[in-house]
Amino acid sequence: MPRFYPHPIIAREGWPFILAGLFFSIVFTCWLEWWSLPFWLFTLFAVQFFRDPSRPIPQDPDAVLCPADGRIVVVERTIDPYRNTEALKISVFMNVFNVHSQRSPIDGTVTRVEYNKGKFLNAALDKASTENERNAVFATTRTGRELTFVQVAGLVARRILCYVDSGQRVVRGERYGFIRFGSRVDVYLPTDAVAQVSIGDKVQASSTILARLPLKAAVQNDEPQTIRPAATTAPAAGLTEHAARANAPQNEQQIIEEAAEKVRAAAEREAPQE
């Protein structure tokens, strides 16, 4: 496979289906005439399903591009089940009328590829992310940010194709996989990513910006804070004031007693001698 898939309008995965449909359509037309119409319809369906048009590719350094055509069905904070970390999850659901080639959402390096067998539930369901057949690609951007994008098989999808492997470098818009006949793609991003799409939005592979991801993670200051001793004057003043307030009743009582003593002494002096 070329380093950067040249987008041949019709994906190479579809040529066996298209040629087979065309062959049987011609043969049955010769034998059955109008009864061959279902074969022609299948051939037309295969042509539209396996189309693989070229798309404009935004080059914003912090942009995470949409890996597939379809409709946004999930935008939420959750746990990335592959890295076991908190993440922003964005899911794209593809019906049978969408383009089904997957393209790299970032410039970076594939660190691991993990395939999991599973069921073939409706890909629009949330549980399809963890129960269906799926293929997870772990990748790291050029600035070291980690993300996971997962191909998930759907109700009629029976084949997930992935063309990248561990250690391989990818560029945004590069075609890395294909899913036949209905599916979804889940993207797990760091929690500081900001989604640029909402549930229900129709998106296109490579040309739609899925989220904005800062080039570097925010630095957390884990240094212990130094506790500085407070100035001595303020506490001293505070203590003096507090002591004064505490001793105020005692001082007033003493003044009253002294005044009373003076009054008694004066009264005794002025009293007549017997």
Side-chain angles (χ1 to χ4, degrees):
M1 179 180 174
R3 176 73 182 87
F4 192 90
Y5 194 75
H7 304 299
I9 301 178
I10 300 297
R12 63 177 184 175
E13 292 86 354
W15 282 111
F17 296 92
I18 295 171
L19 293 176
L22 187 61
F23 172 78
F24 285 107
S25 297
I26 294 173
V27 170
F28 281 96
T29 297
C30 296
W31 288 356
L32 304 175
E33 297 182 351
W34 288 106
W35 291 101
S36 63
L37 182 60
F39 294 93
W40 287 108
L41 293 177
F42 171 80
T43 303
L44 291 176
F45 168 78
V47 170
Q48 76 82 29
F49 181 87
F50 289 102
R51 70 192 188 281
D52 196 9
S54 179
R55 297 276 171 70
I57 303 174
Q59 296 299 318
D60 306 19
D62 64 342
V64 177
L65 307 185
C66 189
D69 282 23
R71 176 173 56 89
I72 301 296
V73 294
V74 173
V75 179
E76 65 179 8
R77 295 293 180 93
T78 185
I79 298 296
D80 180 344
Y82 302 93
R83 298 182 186 272
N84 196 29
T85 58
E86 293 185 0
L88 170 65
K89 178 184 179 181
I90 303 178
S91 298
V92 182
F93 171 72
M94 295 171 279
N95 62 37
V96 293
F97 299 106
N98 293 128
V99 175
H100 276 61
S101 65
Q102 284 84 58
R103 308 181 189 185
S104 174
I106 59 160
D107 298 322
T109 303
V110 175
T111 55
R112 182 158 60 98
V113 177
E114 180 181 306
Y115 172 77
N116 295 275
K117 293 183 178 181
K119 302 177 182 179
F120 295 96
L121 304 174
N122 185 347
L125 301 176
D126 288 341
K127 60 183 179 180
S129 293
T130 54
E131 295 185 19
N132 278 19
E133 178 182 3
R134 57 202 179 275
N135 186 75
V137 176
F138 299 71
T140 304
T141 67
R142 291 178 177 175
T143 58
R145 306 308 307 275
E146 296 181 335
L147 66 156
T148 312
F149 36 101
V150 188
Q151 299 166 287
V152 183
L155 186 63
V156 294
R158 288 296 185 272
R159 186 71 187 278
I160 294 177
L161 304 172
C162 183
Y163 302 121
V164 295
D165 205 350
S166 178
Q168 182 175 333
R169 292 186 177 275
V170 292
V171 296
R172 59 182 64 200
E174 177 177 2
R175 193 175 183 277
Y176 78 88
F178 199 94
I179 311 177
R180 292 177 184 166
F181 307 119
S183 50
R184 76 189 266 168
V185 176
D186 297 329
V187 180
Y188 295 93
L189 300 165
T191 54
D192 58 344
V194 180
Q196 302 296 299
V197 293
S198 301
I199 294 176
D201 289 354
K202 292 183 178 180
V203 293
Q204 291 185 327
S206 300
S207 60
T208 300
I209 296 177
L210 205 64
R212 298 282 181 180
L213 179 64
L215 300 183
K216 292 287 187 180
V219 178
Q220 297 182 352
N221 186 7
D222 296 330
E223 295 181 359
Q225 297 182 351
T226 302
I227 301 177
R228 297 180 178 179
T232 56
T233 55
L239 288 174
T240 303
E241 184 179 353
H242 176 73
R245 287 196 301 268
N247 293 332
Q250 181 178 357
N251 293 338
E252 291 177 359
Q253 182 67 22
Q254 184 177 359
I255 293 172
I256 292 173
E257 291 178 356
E258 290 178 355
E261 183 66 26
K262 290 180 180 179
V263 170
R264 286 195 295 271
E268 290 177 353
R269 287 195 299 270
E270 293 177 0
Q273 297 288 332
E274 294 183 355

